[in-house]
Amino acid sequence: MEAMAEHSRETRVTGESVADKIQERLQKRHQARAEDAERKKEAKESQSVAEEKSEYFASTFNAEQASIEELLSSCSGADRTVVTQTLEEATVKTLQLQKFLNDSILFLTQYELRRAQDALQKLLASSAEIREEALPKKKFAFRARSKATDKVSAPPVIDTPAGTGSTKVVGAPAESLQCCFSNMDNVCLIKTAEDIHKQDVLLTHLNNCKVRLFGSPSTLHMTHINNCEILCGPVSSSVFVDQCSNSTLAIPCQQLRTHNTTDTQVYLHVTSRAIVEDCHGVHFAPFTWSYPTLDEDFIVSGLDRDRNNWSQVDDFNWLAAGTPSPNWNVIPEAERKTNWEL
Amino acid sequence: MGLLTILKKMKQKEREMRLLMLGLDNAGKTTILKKFNGEDVSTISPTLGFNIKTLEHRGFKLNIWDVGGQKSLRSYWRNYFESTDGLVWVVDSADRLRLEDCRKELSSLLLEERLAGATLLVFANKQDLPGALSKEAIQEALALDEIKSHHWCIIGCSAVTGKNLLAGVDWLLDDIAARIFTID
């Protein structure tokens, strides 16, 4: 019993103190809540910047817009460089304004947003208009750089060496191997088989000459020939004709390469092909000249007597297949030369 | 396409070389090409345009481009420069008259940017002719010793007899291979 009484007293005592404590705790909690609310309010206030207000936005935006418009209007009638500069500045400002609008989207109403976007659009349009007016862009067009000018610029590199350097003969040691006629007028030139056998024969700067080469040279070069009659035995490789005019040639060879030649008749036996380049009025007929040792010379040259492509001429300046080149033709049979007497 | 297929293709590509053969007209470019390929060389005509041959040699696949050398065709040479591994310059050793032309054409080629990486092989062709200049004389006439921009080599040869053609091409292959292929 005693123990019970004591217990109840004790409970009473504690009961009182518990009530006190609760009171106190409630108080504390209330205070904390108040403080918390205060803190939150403060935090909220610190977060919400002054700019986050539509009035602030509107005023700033309008001011900026006005300044850009002013910049743009100052462009009319100004100097080209000034206009360029001002436009540059206006563009930068417009871009900044656009960014400002983008940053403010969160707190703007739909209406404000649309109005601002319209204003920006207008600014961009008018700046583009001014740019177009003051600094017209070059209209795009293909430039008139024709192929013709291209071609004109290319050849000189190639042409010059032919004109200047081609007469230079390099390498003296083997000179004796070359048989040469040059700078002659109105003469009759004859070479026999021993003179030209397997040699390179060179004929240059001949005028009104008659040339007979009996025998089989290795190659034959003819340059600057005018009004001549040149007959030659079988040439085992190529014949070069360059700068030849008003002449008659008769040659068997493996290849004939004709350049810069005009009004010349060629009585030809060619086992591969003849070509013309930069020529005009070159006339071809089959080779008909004959002399006593021709057969032997054919054997020496190694040319095939049964293969003659004299009428198959490639014109390097006439690449149109199907249409014949106007630069060469075949001599009609009736007009061919048959008498080769000196 | 599996990874192995891709690797195989790359490997095949790696063994391919593109050789460009140029030179004045009548130098013997087509004859060299045909002789090297074992074809008949007696009926060759001046090249109107170009010839291309693909042949296998020492396990390499060689794409050889032979472009006509006539004056009117030289302006087209540039169309063939792209991705050339080796340039073969063919000289008619007996054509003394045009050695200067030959030198000028070669030196202007060597300035080409698209040929900058290419190895240069000079064939002093027609050595079988009695009037032919020696390869030393050609080397001097073409001023080859002044070339610092390209690996080069001059070889005297005869396209008609086939002499030294192989030696020249072998040198070219070795030089290109050492430069662009990783040795297996």
Side-chain angles (χ1 to χ4, degrees), chain A residues 18-282:
Chain A
V18 163
D20 278 352
K21 270 185 184 164
I22 287 177
Q23 191 84 24
E24 205 179 317
R25 227 183 285 161
L26 279 176
Q27 197 72 36
K28 263 185 190 165
R29 197 172 291 172
H30 175 72
Q31 211 164 344
R33 216 174 10 235
E35 273 171 22
D36 200 34
E38 191 67 26
R39 228 187 355 260
K40 273 189 182 159
K41 204 178 161 195
E42 259 173 38
K44 204 181 171 196
E45 260 168 19
S46 73
Q47 268 176 358
S48 79
V49 198
E51 287 128 52
E52 219 176 80
K53 279 176 189 145
S54 26
E55 300 105 72
Y56 172 81
F57 171 80
S59 65
T60 318
F61 189 92
N62 288 341
E64 202 61 22
Q65 186 189 349
S67 85
I68 294 170
E69 272 167 355
E70 199 178 325
L71 268 176
L72 289 178
S73 67
S74 77
C75 281
S76 59
D79 187 63
R80 203 186 153 87
T81 48
V82 177
V83 171
T84 322
Q85 224 167 0
T86 324
L87 273 175
E88 193 75 23
E89 200 181 326
T91 316
V92 171
K93 279 194 159 188
T94 317
L95 284 176
Q96 278 171 351
L97 194 56
Q98 176 78 59
K99 193 171 181 297
F100 176 58
L101 173 62
N102 289 345
D103 290 345
S104 312
I105 279 177
L106 273 178
F107 60 88
L108 288 178
T109 63
Q110 203 68 25
Y111 169 74
E112 284 168 323
L113 185 60
R114 194 158 349 111
R115 226 184 48 106
Q117 277 171 340
D118 284 351
L120 266 175
Q121 209 65 47
K122 223 181 265 176
L123 280 179
L124 284 173
S126 64
S127 90
E129 206 170 281
I130 288 167
R131 190 187 300 275
E132 189 65 35
E133 217 170 274
L135 319 157
K137 237 192 215 160
K138 261 189 203 152
K139 284 261 162 33
F140 174 77
F142 285 108
R143 283 208 289 166
R145 198 181 124 204
S146 65
K147 277 181 185 166
T149 55
D150 244 2
K151 272 179 191 158
V152 169
S153 64
V157 190
I158 297 155
D159 279 351
T160 35
T164 54
S166 59
T167 43
K168 192 181 160 196
V169 180
V170 191
E175 208 66 274
S176 60
L177 283 164
Q178 211 152 26
C179 166
C180 175
F181 284 125
S182 62
N183 300 305
M184 293 191 205
D185 265 314
N186 301 303
V187 283
C188 185
L189 306 160
I190 296 173
K191 284 275 177 187
T192 58
E194 298 84 66
D195 293 330
I196 57 175
H197 181 73
K198 294 225 165 188
Q199 298 205 1
D200 288 355
V201 178
L202 172 64
L203 307 174
T204 65
H205 297 91
L206 301 185
N207 221 338
N208 301 313
C209 292
K210 287 191 182 244
V211 182
R212 297 290 183 271
L213 303 171
F214 301 100
S216 173
S218 171
T219 58
L220 172 62
H221 290 259
M222 290 180 260
T223 62
H224 300 93
I225 306 291
N226 183 38
N227 206 17
C228 293
E229 186 182 279
I230 299 170
L231 313 183
C232 180
V235 180
S236 57
S237 63
S238 304
V239 172
F240 284 89
V241 181
D242 196 6
Q243 313 274 353
C244 177
S245 58
N246 306 308
S247 299
T248 302
L249 316 172
I251 334 147
C253 59
Q254 199 211 346
Q255 293 182 350
L256 172 70
R257 297 167 185 258
T258 321
H259 306 270
N260 309 299
T261 293
T262 52
D263 304 312
T264 292
Q265 300 190 324
V266 186
Y267 291 83
L268 184 67
H269 182 107
V270 64
T271 56
S272 80
R273 286 272 184 151
I275 69 138
V276 293
E277 187 176 57
D278 306 322
C279 291
H280 193 75
V282 187

Side-chain angles (χ1 to χ4, degrees), chain B residues 2-60:
Chain B
L3 181 60
L4 196 60
T5 330
I6 297 173
L7 286 175
K8 270 185 189 160
K9 281 210 166 158
M10 279 172 71
K11 202 75 190 158
Q12 273 167 10
K13 201 85 188 153
E14 217 175 64
R15 308 291 289 185
E16 246 183 82
M17 288 183 192
R18 185 179 150 116
L19 307 182
L20 179 61
M21 191 141 65
L22 297 175
L24 300 189
D25 48 302
N26 202 46
K29 298 175 288 297
T30 309
T31 313
I32 287 178
L33 180 63
K34 294 214 165 179
K35 190 76 183 179
F36 196 74
N37 204 27
E39 294 175 48
D40 177 28
V41 296
S42 64
T43 58
I44 293 166
S45 318
T47 307
L48 185 61
F50 66 90
N51 301 305
I52 173 170
K53 284 251 178 333
T54 303
L55 40 99
E56 297 272 346
H57 181 57
R58 284 173 42 193
F60 293 107

Side-chain angles (χ1 to χ4, degrees), chain B residues 16-116:
Chain B
E16 246 183 82
M17 288 183 192
R18 185 179 150 116
L19 307 182
L20 179 61
M21 191 141 65
L22 297 175
L24 300 189
D25 48 302
N26 202 46
K29 298 175 288 297
T30 309
T31 313
I32 287 178
L33 180 63
K34 294 214 165 179
K35 190 76 183 179
F36 196 74
N37 204 27
E39 294 175 48
D40 177 28
V41 296
S42 64
T43 58
I44 293 166
S45 318
T47 307
L48 185 61
F50 66 90
N51 301 305
I52 173 170
K53 284 251 178 333
T54 303
L55 40 99
E56 297 272 346
H57 181 57
R58 284 173 42 193
F60 293 107
K61 190 173 166 197
L62 307 181
N63 294 315
I64 310 183
W65 294 72
D66 155 36
V67 186
Q70 296 293 335
K71 222 180 265 176
S72 46
L73 296 180
R74 290 179 207 163
S75 50
Y76 298 105
W77 283 358
R78 67 184 71 153
N79 299 343
Y80 300 86
F81 291 165
E82 212 64 62
S83 56
T84 293
D85 298 309
L87 177 65
V88 183
W89 182 254
V90 185
V91 184
D92 175 355
S93 307
D95 190 359
R96 295 140 199 271
L97 294 174
R98 297 195 300 163
L99 271 180
E100 183 60 19
D101 284 19
C102 186
R103 185 190 64 76
K104 283 182 184 164
E105 290 286 353
L106 176 61
S107 66
S108 72
L109 270 185
L110 295 180
L111 296 177
E112 276 293 334
E113 209 174 305
R114 283 172 295 168
L115 292 176

